[in-house]
Amino acid sequence: MKIGFYPGCSLTGSSREYNESVVAIAKVLDIELTEINDWNCCGATAAHSMNEELSMSLPARIMAMAEKQGLTEVVVPCAACYNRLKVTQHDLKDETKRKRVSEILQLPYDGSIEIINVLQMLEKYGAENIKAKVTQPFAHKVACYYGCLLVRPHSILQFDRVEDPQSMDELIKVVGGTTIDWAFKTECCGGGFSVSRTDLVAKLSGNILEDAADRGAEALIVACPMCQSNLDMRRGAINKVIERPSDIPVIYITQAIGLALGIDAKELGLKRHFVTVEL
Amino acid sequence: MEHKGKITDLQSHTGVEVMRCYQCGKCTAGCVLATDMNFPPSYVMRLLQTGTKENYIKILGSNSIWLCLNCENCLGRCPMEIDIPKMMDYLRTQAIKENILHPDSKPIISFHRSFLDSIKYTGRLYELGLIAEFKARTFRVTQDLTIAPAMFLKGKLHLLPEKIKDRMTMKRIFAKTIENVKTENK
Amino acid sequence: MSKIGVFICHCGENISATVDVERVAREIGGMEGVAHAIDYKYMCSDPGQTFIKEAVKKYDLDGVVVGACSPRMHEPTFRRACAEAGLNPYLCEMANLREHCSWVHEKGEETTEKAIDLVKMLVEKVKKNNPLESIKVPVTKRALVIGGGIAGIQASLDIANTGHKVILIERDPSIGGHMSQLSETFPTLDCSQCILTPRMVEVAQHPNIKLYTYAELESLEGFIGNFTAKIRLKAKSVNYSTCTGCGACIQKCPVKKIPSEFNAGLGTRTAIYVPFPQAVPNKPVIDRVNCNYYKRGACKICEKTCQVGSIEWDKEDEIISEEVGAVVLATGFDVKGTDFFPEYGYGKYKDVLTGLQFERLASASGPTFGEIRRPSDGAIPKKIVFIACAGSRDPAKGIPYCSKICCMYTAKHAMLYQHKVHDGESTVFYMDIRAGGKNYEEFVRRAIEEDTVNYVRGRVARVYEKNGKLIVKGVDTLLGGEQVEIEADMVVLATAGVANCGSEQLAQKLHVSYDPYHFFAEAHPKLKPVETNTAGIFLAGACQAPKDIPETVGMASGAAVKVAALFSNNELVREPIIAVVNRLAPPLYSTCVGCFMCETACPYNAIEHEEIKARDGSLIRTIARVNSGLCQGCGTCVAFCRSKSIDIQGYTNEQVYAEVMSLLND
């Protein structure tokens, strides 16, 4: 399997373990990732909060670069980037907007690239094929946390169910784990307020963590660097506001699968978390 | 009738028809930050529906538009499919344009500006630079003093920014979008 | 040379204020073929009509044009006057000088000229008119009622009590419909079954009603007064003429875990079953999908148990044919399930119920014998939440309309709950309370004031389960959008009332219209609420739109009166405005070439094949013929006919052409 790859800024910095685990499992699963040349930041929440044209132009350049490179399908592990790229692609179906953005970019853009998230890539790869390569079943009871950006807006992303999504749960079951039925799968963790309003992030992430812990989850499984860093790096702030401080780890779906495929914890970046991972 | 024009502008920019809202409150019921807002989302809709200038200014000057996380739960559940998040994006840009800003907006805008500044010159986010600039903008010198070194130790922070090659395009994108608006304002 | 009389009405001042009526009469009087033209203040009045009658006789008129109001208003009046004077009524036409002219234009020269043109057109048309005879068709005085809920029951009894025969067919094994599932009814809280079951028995025993349960309409052919209904009698696998209804087979049936439809899935039934103890007929059927014998070829325990040998394993569906003169559609509605709401758990929480399921819990004949208990663990809920508009008024996930009955039944549910669980707390989340109806508002106030039901204005964003409780995240919009969180033991969703499954297919079988939501369409939203636009087919109850019991019963009685009125005639008289295929003398016979494009175009199945035969019986040609009973005069066939062989009587190509040419010849 060959596929284009857009890591995004987080995966080269504060969430490099996500990158490491994506690359590690791709290697074991024989998935060839081709990084987009000279990619730029998608603009994240900052761009669309401040200026609509900027918020479309930044992702459009990324996709234009991918098109130039001849890629037809690109996996975007970061949920925030995935969302921005998909929404931009949708918005640029509008003729006037596309014209304006082409003017700004001075690059051809035709919007033909298939943007998928990491769960879709693994689904495409095939549950049976993954199962065949499992060497150490991931025998843990976990809570799959999807957050906002993977599933909403449903009308544009058309991915999984809008409430109580199942795709990540299915993957965990494929590699030998069990998942809990819980209430905060798609509630917001506080997203981009990590630095500016840490107090609100602590409150929202706290609700999520408490529900998962109450229902006996050994770990939270995520597919978004923002969710991961809020729930992991902000644990100190979270534990100050919730009734029962918690030390359950928050790992990426790719790390969980990596463990099941027998990849070394260090190679998967599991040592980089703030909350110690002992799975 | 300046204020009615604002609602028309809102509609032409976002497609949101405020009169479609029948005030069921489902958006507010599910909003994770409604309790922290001056006005919860359904209340914002009602203020817009009145069409008065006072109420429009009330919204621009509220923290509601800044606390909206764009998590889109409201849109996913709205029986009338009103795109409140998109509307909030629009109202934020209007608040900046009109310079009617709630104090709560300051750290949030500072963060966004620091973020955009960081990618403007390099093309990619430089997290250390972002934090430094944010601290400088907000005078929150002591914030996250323990986290940054820990991040560094875990290999999560680069000391130097990553730069893309085609920085000209980045410069052009910023010049023709967000900076273009700023100059128009001046 | 024609002798046309023209009569211009002032309509008080309605026409004469803007149109110079005297000039109209004067100018028309000068037209070729016009023998007499006058104007008068009220042409429709008795003296006005007398003018027309006298003129017909005096001038031996062969056509009349009245320039007045809309023909919808007074065409019958003036045609009757002509007929009384001995002129064929179809030689009288009306020019609409009021709605089409004086009411919509300013006073002035041009307005008068338009009025002249309008009259002139009709004068030219009437010159080409032919005398027509109204159509008479015989009436089969037997009605078919489809659906055995309260609507069908009421309609059947009312028709039967006028002395006419009724055939009532019901899809399920018993009549009774949704009303038999209800606990108590608003606003009086009388027991639904107590008032319904006597009616059900009356239906079964009425000498004029023939009841077919477990039966569906296969097809309906024919036209008003003369329908042929083919009815599929689904195989019951039990011989009803010998079965005594003792119920021994039901007790012995080993397949016991089938969700009971009657209990809305909250209880179970066996494979051989009677839907509920008060069923009519009170005899079982075998559900072949779930029966061990039909599934695996072995079991037959019921046969061994049956003392009278009534089990018929090899019985097949039977199709019977019945001649009827009218049809009443009373197929009711359906209730949306809880599963289509993502935010309320996609139907995965056992204690999130529909309103209909709550009815079963509250009903003495229900799975808990009327005690409110949670399906999950049988506990009595101490906190209960009712969510109104769950699917109604929700274009995104449900339906845009208001289901009408939910406000009232939700108030009733909360009230019943408070009556049964004295220390319980009930909360209703609502958007608006729609309690229009006799004693309805008072009923809701009673729930709030006397039974302490907590009404909160706002919708619920989501419901999730935690530690055996259902967490309900709502809002109180009257407190400026304050979030309300309730840890409930049970949640009841007032899910939307929707068209019954299969209603679209049934409508197509019957050639009746349906709305975008698949409810059957009435002929006029105000003045013809029980008629369909297919003559002889009437509507009763919630198959037309969601409605409550009093409204349903009222509508059913209305439909019954329409049927009785139809049956009061031995023959039906219809306007002869229908299509005809021309017939010519031999050897031409007709210009029709027999392509039958008209047959494919006709929405009413009115085109027949007519064989023209020689004296020796050999076939000369096959041409189209219009069935005058079925034809509604829509004219689609005329547009399709390539050889111009079909015309609408009263609106022939020649007539319309003459009208248009009168304008062009000026």
Side-chain angles (χ1 to χ4, degrees):
Chain A
M1 186 173 174
K2 284 185 180 181
I3 193 164
F5 179 42
Y6 174 69
C9 307
S10 296
L11 271 74
T12 66
S14 55
S15 304
R16 61 187 290 186
E17 68 274 18
Y18 194 11
N19 196 43
E20 287 162 346
S21 57
V22 169
V23 171
I25 67 166
K27 203 164 92 191
V28 175
L29 297 176
D30 274 328
I31 299 174
E32 194 186 316
L33 300 171
T34 311
E35 197 167 315
I36 298 175
N37 291 332
D38 204 36
W39 56 264
N40 56 275
C41 171
C42 73
T45 316
H48 75 79
S49 291
M50 304 293 279
N51 185 283
E52 196 199 5
E53 281 185 350
L54 178 66
S55 78
M56 293 187 296
S57 302
L58 293 169
R61 180 181 177 274
I62 299 163
M63 291 185 278
M65 293 300 284
E67 282 169 18
K68 200 169 152 189
Q69 211 171 327
L71 298 171
T72 54
E73 190 176 39
V74 172
V75 61
V76 185
C78 169
C81 301
Y82 162 73
N83 189 286
R84 288 313 312 155
L85 264 58
K86 287 287 278 187
V87 170
T88 300
Q89 211 170 39
H90 175 267
D91 287 348
L92 291 184
K93 282 180 187 157
D94 180 285
E95 194 61 39
T96 7
K97 286 181 180 168
R98 197 167 66 208
K99 265 193 183 149
R100 173 75 186 128
V101 166
S102 310
E103 233 174 73
I104 297 165
L105 290 184
Q106 294 175 14
L107 272 172
Y109 164 88
D110 66 13
S112 60
I113 290 193
E114 182 81 13
I115 303 294
I116 62 171
N117 60 47
V118 87
L119 303 174
Q120 286 169 313
M121 180 184 80
L122 292 166
E123 269 171 14
K124 237 177 175 171
Y125 182 81
E128 285 311 307
N129 297 335
I130 297 173
K131 207 177 215 168
K133 297 201 173 166
V134 170
T135 56
Q136 290 165 309
F138 184 74
H140 300 285
K141 185 174 158 190
V142 296
C144 290
Y145 174 62
Y146 297 72
C148 319
L149 298 164
L150 268 184
V151 290
R152 288 188 296 264
H154 181 73
S155 60
I156 295 174
L157 303 180
Q158 296 290 325
F159 171 65
D160 212 325
R161 309 201 293 188
V162 62
E163 312 240 0
D164 193 17
Q166 294 294 327
S167 48
M168 213 188 308
D169 295 65
E170 290 306 316
L171 283 169
I172 288 295
K173 286 175 200 159
V174 164
V175 295
T178 50
T179 61
I180 59 163
D181 182 16
W182 64 309
F184 285 79
K185 271 184 171 179
T186 57
E187 289 287 281
C188 183
C189 67
F193 283 2
S194 186
V195 176
S196 54
R197 288 300 299 266
T198 315
D199 57 325
L200 297 177
V201 167
K203 178 174 100 168
L204 300 181
S205 293
N207 292 336
I208 294 162
L209 214 53
E210 265 188 325
D211 192 53
D214 287 352
R215 295 175 197 252
E218 292 171 56
L220 253 76
I221 311 292
V222 299
C224 170
M226 281 212 283
C227 302
Q228 202 281 337
S229 58
N230 280 341
L231 289 159
D232 180 57
M233 285 202 283
R234 295 296 177 190
R235 187 63 60 91
I238 294 169
N239 277 343
K240 276 184 202 149
V241 297
I242 59 178
E243 270 176 41
R244 296 172 297 280
S246 163
D247 59 357
I248 64 171
V250 184
I251 68 169
Y252 291 102
I253 179 72
T254 43
Q255 292 176 315
I257 292 174
L259 287 173
L261 297 176
I263 302 169
D264 176 60
K266 199 167 175 208
E267 198 186 337
L268 292 167
L270 282 161
K271 305 286 177 202
R272 297 192 193 274
H273 295 308
F274 276 48
V275 179
T276 317
V277 184
E278 283 165 350
L279 291 168
Chain B
M1 296 298 280
E2 189 192 358
H3 44 279
K4 284 282 177 203
K6 301 279 183 208
I7 306 299
T8 321
D9 285 351
L10 171 80
Q11 188 177 337
S12 63
H13 274 88
T14 63
V16 170
E17 297 169 46
V18 295
M19 292 320 290
R20 274 176 65 79
C21 171
Y22 54 33
Q23 288 293 310
C24 72
K26 205 172 180 183
C27 49
T28 298
C31 177
V32 289
L33 288 181
T35 49
D36 297 274
M37 291 178 175
N38 297 141
F39 317 116
S42 55
Y43 205 123
V44 171
M45 292 306 299
R46 184 66 201 134
L47 288 171
L48 287 170
Q49 284 179 336
T50 65
T52 67
K53 193 176 175 182
E54 297 76 53
N55 285 339
Y56 188 70
I57 287 170
K58 232 188 225 178
I59 296 166
L60 294 191
S62 73
N63 70 357
S64 307
I65 59 177
W66 295 102
L67 293 189
C68 169
L69 282 155
N70 286 60
C71 80
E72 308 210 350
N73 253 335
C74 51
L75 172 59
R77 291 169 184 157
C78 177
M80 303 306 279
E81 295 174 283
I82 297 170
D83 198 338
I84 297 180
K86 201 165 195 179
M87 186 185 84
M88 292 295 194
D89 272 345
Y90 176 78
L91 292 170
R92 281 190 278 264
T93 57
Q94 292 305 302
I96 294 174
K97 208 168 161 186
E98 310 260 341
N99 200 23
I100 306 171
L101 296 168
H102 187 277
D104 279 4
S105 71
K106 298 278 152 64
I108 295 161
I109 296 177
S110 297
F111 178 79
H112 291 332
R113 292 223 164 107
S114 310
F115 186 102
L116 294 178
D117 277 353
S118 153
I119 62 172
K120 178 177 157 186
Y121 300 108
T122 58
R124 289 185 191 171
L125 180 64
Y126 172 42
E127 286 165 324
L128 200 58
L130 160 67
I131 295 169
E133 189 182 333
F134 175 73
K135 286 183 176 209
R137 280 179 184 269
T138 55
F139 305 107
R140 292 191 191 174
V141 184
T142 55
Q143 186 185 330
D144 295 336
L145 270 186
T146 52
I147 289 210
M151 283 176 75
F152 180 70
L153 285 175
K154 289 182 181 286
K156 284 174 172 257
L157 276 185
H158 291 290
L159 284 180
L160 294 172
E162 272 190 45
K163 288 180 186 164
I164 70 165
K165 287 180 209 138
D166 181 17
R167 293 197 290 279
M168 280 304 291
T169 303
M170 293 307 288
K171 214 175 153 186
R172 186 169 58 244
I173 290 174
F174 276 82
K176 289 198 173 179
T177 57
I178 193 163
E179 284 160 8
N180 194 25
V181 176
K182 276 187 206 158
T183 43
E184 267 175 30
N185 250 4
K186 281 166 194 166
Chain C
M1 177 91 164
S2 305
K3 284 178 279 180
I4 313 288
V6 178
F7 303 87
I8 307 297
C9 181
H10 298 203
C11 196
E13 285 194 338
N14 275 301
I15 298 172
S16 59
T18 45
V19 172
D20 181 351
V21 283
E22 284 161 27
R23 187 183 145 200
V24 176
R26 202 165 55 238
E27 292 206 10
I28 295 294
M31 270 179 79
E32 190 188 324
V34 173
H36 178 63
I38 58 162
D39 61 275
Y40 181 63
K41 208 165 187 64
Y42 293 106
M43 210 50 98
C44 59
S45 67
D46 199 47
Q49 291 188 47
T50 308
F51 282 135
I52 299 174
K53 287 183 208 169
E54 284 173 353
V56 168
K57 288 177 191 150
K58 187 173 168 192
Y59 301 101
D60 191 23
L61 299 178
D62 53 15
V64 165
V65 175
V66 185
C69 53
S70 163
R72 285 222 162 215
M73 185 82 197
H74 274 311
E75 193 179 71
T77 314
F78 295 121
R79 284 193 168 168
R80 206 181 312 116
C82 287
E84 281 168 20
L87 184 71
N88 184 292
Y90 297 97
L91 299 176
C92 169
E93 296 281 357
M94 282 187 78
N96 188 349
L97 301 188
R98 193 176 71 177
E99 285 86 341
H100 287 181
C101 190
S102 68
W103 275 359
V104 291
H105 299 300
E106 302 285 316
K107 181 177 181 167
E109 192 89 342
E110 284 178 315
T111 306
T112 301
E113 267 155 27
K114 176 173 174 182
I116 294 169
D117 280 345
L118 288 172
V119 179
K120 209 188 269 180
M121 287 165 73
L122 268 302
V123 170
E124 291 303 335
K125 183 190 176 196
V126 91
K127 286 181 187 169
K128 308 280 182 194
N129 276 19
N130 294 313
L132 298 174
E133 292 303 322
S134 28
I135 299 168
K136 293 197 170 87
V137 282
V139 179
T140 308
K141 298 185 180 182
R142 191 187 301 123
L144 172 68
V145 177
I146 305 173
I150 183 58
I153 288 172
Q154 183 71 33
S156 298
L157 288 172
D158 285 348
I159 298 168
N161 286 336
T162 64
H164 297 296
K165 299 283 182 196
V166 176
I167 293 153
L168 172 61
I169 63 171
E170 165 58 47
R171 180 159 72 180
D172 289 339
S174 170
I175 57 169
H178 283 311
M179 188 173 167
S180 66
Q181 293 176 282
L182 307 184
S183 52
E184 282 152 30
T185 54
F186 59 80
T188 45
L189 293 189
D190 43 352
C191 154
S192 187
Q193 289 234 349
C194 309
I195 55 178
L196 177 69
T197 45
R199 296 270 169 112
M200 291 163 59
V201 174
E202 211 183 323
V203 163
Q205 293 174 348
H206 203 294
N208 283 343
I209 299 177
K210 200 196 277 181
L211 174 63
Y212 294 113
T213 52
Y214 220 43
E216 286 182 56
L217 185 78
E218 192 72 7
S219 69
L220 185 81
E221 276 170 12
F223 51 91
I224 180 168
N226 299 274
F227 293 108
T228 305
K230 291 223 163 63
I231 300 163
R232 175 181 293 270
L233 306 179
K234 292 182 280 185
K236 296 176 174 120
S237 313
V238 173
N239 183 340
Y240 274 26
S241 56
T242 55
C243 172
T244 61
C246 72
C249 53
I250 299 170
Q251 285 179 356
K252 296 287 186 208
C253 179
V255 189
K256 295 189 192 297
K257 296 280 181 197
I258 306 162
S260 153
E261 295 85 354
F262 180 72
N263 282 325
L266 291 184
T268 55
R269 63 163 171 85
T270 46
I272 184 164
Y273 73 110
V274 172
F276 54 104
Q278 299 74 26
V280 170
N282 206 337
K283 291 177 183 180
V285 297
I286 297 180
D287 163 9
R288 293 190 174 189
V289 176
N290 288 299
C291 168
N292 277 346
Y293 173 72
Y294 289 102
K295 267 162 69 181
R296 294 196 280 277
C299 181
K300 292 198 174 183
I301 292 173
C302 50
E303 189 178 30
K304 285 167 211 140
T305 315
C306 184
Q307 304 268 318
V308 290
S310 291
I311 307 293
E312 301 177 316
W313 297 112
D314 302 327
K315 184 86 177 167
E316 282 179 6
D317 287 4
E318 196 185 328
I319 309 255
I320 57 161
S321 182
E322 294 276 4
E323 302 296 320
V324 295
V327 180
V328 177
L329 272 172
T331 50
F333 69 108
D334 206 353
V335 176
K336 254 193 181 304
T338 56
D339 53 334
F340 77 105
F341 263 112
E343 57 270 47
Y344 303 151
Y346 290 106
K348 73 178 169 187
Y349 304 128
K350 280 187 174 167
D351 300 324
V352 176
L353 307 178
T354 65
L356 193 59
Q357 288 176 317
F358 188 84
E359 291 285 349
R360 295 312 302 144
L361 285 186
S363 168
S365 71
T368 55
F369 307 104
E371 285 186 13
I372 310 294
R373 290 183 177 278
R374 310 209 312 169
S376 64
D377 58 5
I380 292 174
K382 294 294 172 196
K383 270 191 190 174
I384 187 164
V385 167
F386 296 92
I387 303 178
C389 294
S392 304
R393 306 172 69 194
D394 186 341
K397 299 197 187 75
I399 37 116
Y401 57 82
C402 162
S403 293
K404 198 173 185 180
I405 55 174
C406 325
C407 285
M408 290 308 297
Y409 77 60
T410 297
K412 179 193 76 182
H413 288 169
M415 209 183 248
L416 290 178
Y417 170 76
Q418 293 294 2
H419 293 174
K420 286 171 191 258
V421 186
H422 295 290
D423 57 344
E425 279 177 37
S426 57
T427 303
V428 175
F429 284 96
Y430 73 100
M431 293 209 293
D432 301 289
I433 301 173
R434 295 181 173 176
K438 192 168 176 172
N439 291 323
Y440 284 14
E441 173 64 14
E442 296 92 316
F443 182 79
V444 176
R445 291 314 311 169
R446 223 170 86 204
I448 297 169
E449 292 167 22
E450 290 172 30
D451 295 305
T452 65
V453 179
N454 177 29
Y455 267 70
V456 179
R457 197 212 169 274
R459 245 180 176 152
V460 170
R462 68 179 187 132
V463 174
Y464 63 87
E465 198 209 43
K466 190 155 187 179
N467 302 328
K469 297 276 184 189
L470 291 161
I471 315 296
V472 179
K473 297 257 191 187
V475 64
D476 190 331
T477 56
L478 300 180
L479 292 177
E482 196 170 282
Q483 290 182 338
V484 179
E485 184 175 313
I486 296 176
E487 282 188 20
D489 301 303
M490 183 183 276
V491 173
V492 181
L493 304 180
T495 55
V498 294
N500 218 334
C501 63
S503 57
E504 192 186 357
Q505 292 87 326
L506 184 59
Q508 286 163 0
K509 270 182 200 167
L510 297 168
H511 301 287
V512 300
S513 315
Y514 49 93
D515 66 20
Y517 313 115
H518 297 179
F519 286 111
F520 302 134
E522 65 280 15
H524 187 281
K526 292 170 190 75
L527 298 179
K528 289 185 176 178
V530 303
E531 291 95 327
T532 64
N533 51 13
T534 300
I537 301 183
F538 304 97
L539 301 175
C543 62
Q544 179 256 349
K547 51 177 61 71
D548 61 19
I549 296 167
E551 251 192 292
T552 296
V553 171
M555 191 176 179
S557 290
V561 168
K562 292 285 173 186
V563 172
L566 175 63
F567 289 176
S568 69
N569 304 294
N570 291 324
E571 282 183 326
L572 289 180
V573 178
R574 291 187 49 217
E575 285 268 289
I577 311 300
I578 55 161
V580 281
V581 179
N582 66 28
R583 291 302 301 268
L584 306 165
L588 261 172
Y589 302 102
S590 170
T591 57
C592 172
V593 295
C595 72
F596 293 103
M597 285 289 282
C598 49
E599 191 178 15
T600 61
C602 178
Y604 303 101
N605 287 343
I607 305 289
E608 298 171 346
H609 292 222
E610 181 180 11
E611 293 183 340
I612 297 173
K613 287 179 178 167
R615 284 206 178 157
D616 62 358
S618 61
L619 181 67
I620 301 172
R621 276 170 65 195
T622 304
I623 63 167
R625 181 177 58 199
V626 178
N627 180 312
S628 57
L630 287 174
C631 177
Q632 303 288 321
C634 72
T636 311
C637 55
V638 179
F640 269 75
C641 181
R642 291 184 288 191
S643 60
K644 306 257 177 288
S645 306
I646 311 187
D647 253 332
I648 295 284
Q649 294 193 130
Y651 294 91
T652 61
N653 282 330
E654 197 190 9
Q655 287 170 308
V656 177
Y657 188 72
E659 282 190 61
V660 176
M661 287 311 288
S662 78
L663 291 179
L664 299 177
N665 284 342
D666 274 355

